[in-house]
Amino acid sequence: MAAASSAATACFLSPPPPPRPRHFLRHLARAAATPPRPLALPASPPRLRDLADPAEAARRLLASAAGSLVVALASAALILGDPGGASAFVVATPRKLQPDELATVRLFKDNTPSVVYITNLAVRQDAFTLDVLEVPQGSGSGFVWDKIGHIVTNFHVIRGASDLRVTLADQTVYEAQVVGFDQDKDVAVLSIQAPKDKLRPLPVGVSADLLVGQKVYAIGNPFGLDHTLTTGVISGLRREISSAATGRPIQDVIQTDAAINPGNSGGPLLDSAGNLIGVNTAIYSPSGASSGVGFSIPVDTVGGIVDQLIQFGKVTRPILGIKFAPDQSVEQLGLSGVLVLDAPPNGPAGKAGLQSTKRDAYGRLILGDIITSVNGTKVGNGSDLYRILDQCKVGETVTVEVLRGDQKEKIAVVLEPKPDET
């Protein structure tokens, strides 16, 4: 009724039609006096009763009925104001993907069940009610390492957590326990009690034979968006970054331009075959978002650390037992090496006789020993020293060459583990 009323109103509001011209009436009279011409109609199709073959008659009847039904439904959709419904009756051709697209889709589908979402919970006290609550203070990614329930991620993802929760691809949530962690290499191992049929470990590859330019794929949970795939290539190899926890350098890091954003930390970096080649750990970006420079810890390094954490709950790494000056301070003195600030008497270097930096009775600074080489390998800064020690074992005796005043001396030092790892 409303539509009719509006239509009527429109008719009343529209101006009256203009009067017909006289020549129009003459043409109309001439056309009425002209006899009509016969129309040539196309031959009508044979009627169903004229067909001798009953099967052919049935086929045409079904085709006609189906066509009428489609036309009727599409017309009804258009009349009701739903053009999208009419297009639903159009049969679309199957989507055709290129071979490389199919491979990417298959890789994501096969490896997504192995990637998990990790929530870092912290205990907070409400300022008004004084109630103790667990609130999320961070999140990250991880992946299934084995069927036992071990999950590998970054240490900075779980740092400071009072409780950890792991969400699998099917959205089931499990409480996680920390098996062990290595702050120096930013690797941590968790454990969950989940059925074996829900745990799909990633196939472990090799990172020693990687090449710049080969395709890589990163799966993770950036900004809390679960299971996101980004692709790229290896931009560089044998990079070096510093651990966010201890500042100790991490060598042989993989650089990639695959987008790695906050929340991707701890997620896997895969090659085109779906094998694990690295663990995404950091990005280089002034803004904190992906700028095309991401870093992953190579799987050859991660594998050895994870095995030690699962077996012993810790990583036994040798130390000299010294505190050394920043590299800039040594450069300002015009020297090259590692300046020993402190060598505790109960530490490996102190037991061997390395001298610390100190002040005399008049307050003048007396420089300690400057380490210039270890086992014949030159030491130019702190990163060089860490790199050499990473190749050594606990209990091994190394030859440390130091500059003491104007004299060079060689001192044998027996390496020991960290005090908190004994």
Side-chain angles (χ1 to χ4, degrees):
M1 291 296 294
S5 176
S6 62
T9 304
C11 291
F12 285 122
L13 295 179
S14 59
R20 299 282 187 178
R22 294 183 179 180
H23 63 272
F24 173 77
L25 297 177
R26 290 197 299 270
H27 286 292
L28 185 61
R30 188 182 300 111
T34 305
R37 298 178 182 178
L39 299 176
L41 299 177
S44 60
R47 292 173 295 180
L48 295 178
R49 63 172 177 265
D50 296 336
L51 296 175
D53 188 1
E56 179 65 17
R59 186 187 66 78
R60 294 198 179 190
L61 180 61
L62 290 176
S64 176
S68 301
L69 178 61
V70 171
V71 172
L73 291 175
S75 301
L78 290 174
I79 294 173
L80 294 177
D82 184 14
S87 62
F89 294 98
V90 180
V91 180
T93 58
R95 183 182 299 277
K96 295 182 180 180
L97 300 179
Q98 299 298 321
D100 60 334
E101 293 177 313
L102 291 173
T104 302
V105 171
R106 190 180 304 111
L107 182 143
F108 179 72
K109 182 179 180 181
D110 293 342
N111 294 282
T112 294
S114 303
V115 182
V116 302
Y117 181 66
I118 300 174
T119 305
N120 183 331
L121 301 174
V123 175
R124 296 287 185 269
Q125 188 175 32
D126 189 275
F128 298 99
T129 64
L130 300 181
D131 293 336
V132 178
L133 306 173
E134 274 191 339
V135 296
Q137 68 173 354
S139 63
S141 306
F143 55 90
V144 180
W145 182 260
D146 54 29
K147 284 283 188 178
I148 304 176
H150 290 122
I151 306 296
V152 176
T153 184
N154 287 144
F155 168 72
H156 73 262
V157 172
I158 68 167
R159 181 170 51 185
S162 60
D163 196 8
L164 293 165
R165 292 175 185 170
V166 172
T167 304
L168 299 183
D170 60 356
Q171 301 305 312
T172 55
V173 182
Y174 297 92
E175 298 289 335
Q177 304 296 326
V178 179
V179 176
F181 54 83
D182 183 6
Q183 301 183 52
D184 294 334
K185 301 300 180 182
D186 199 21
V187 177
V189 177
L190 310 178
S191 177
I192 61 174
Q193 301 296 325
K196 292 186 176 181
D197 58 344
K198 289 190 175 183
L199 299 173
R200 294 182 55 180
L202 282 175
V204 180
V206 179
S207 58
D209 57 354
L210 297 178
L211 300 173
V212 174
Q214 76 177 78
K215 288 186 177 181
V216 290
Y217 305 84
I219 303 178
N221 306 280
F223 305 107
L225 303 173
D226 61 337
H227 297 100
T228 301
L229 172 70
T230 57
T231 65
V233 298
I234 294 179
S235 307
L237 294 170
R238 307 196 183 284
R239 302 298 194 219
E240 182 177 295
I241 61 175
S242 297
S243 170
T246 64
R248 189 161 181 159
I250 306 175
Q251 293 88 23
D252 298 332
V253 174
I254 304 169
Q255 177 185 333
T256 176
D257 67 345
I260 299 176
N261 288 292
N264 273 115
S265 295
L269 187 71
L270 310 174
D271 61 10
S272 56
N275 297 321
L276 176 69
I277 59 173
V279 179
N280 302 322
T281 184
I283 59 174
Y284 178 78
S285 172
S287 63
S290 176
S291 60
V293 181
F295 300 102
S296 298
I297 306 173
V299 70
D300 293 349
T301 301
V302 173
I305 295 173
V306 170
D307 291 341
Q308 289 192 56
L309 292 177
I310 294 176
Q311 187 174 359
F312 305 109
K314 60 183 180 181
V315 174
T316 305
R317 186 168 288 114
I319 61 170
L320 279 175
I322 63 172
K323 293 181 180 179
F324 55 86
D327 297 334
Q328 295 85 353
S329 300
V330 181
E331 292 175 358
Q332 290 175 358
L333 297 174
L335 302 173
S336 176
V338 172
L339 173 61
V340 179
L341 292 180
D342 186 24
N346 59 346
K351 294 176 183 178
L354 267 72
Q355 295 184 1
S356 307
T357 299
K358 54 187 178 181
R359 293 183 182 275
D360 61 10
Y362 299 98
R364 292 175 297 188
L365 189 67
I366 301 176
L367 297 181
D369 291 338
I370 299 177
I371 301 175
T372 58
S373 70
V374 176
N375 284 344
T377 303
K378 182 182 178 181
V379 175
N381 49 45
S383 297
D384 293 341
L385 180 60
Y386 280 131
R387 191 179 300 109
I388 296 171
L389 293 178
D390 283 343
Q391 307 299 323
C392 301
K393 297 180 180 179
V394 174
E396 182 179 347
T397 301
V398 296
T399 301
V400 179
E401 184 175 349
V402 300
L403 178 63
R404 182 175 295 172
D406 297 333
Q407 303 294 325
K408 286 189 176 181
E409 296 187 16
K410 292 184 179 181
I411 303 173
V413 181
V414 180
L415 300 178
E416 297 180 5
K418 287 184 178 180
D420 58 348
E421 293 181 341
T422 55

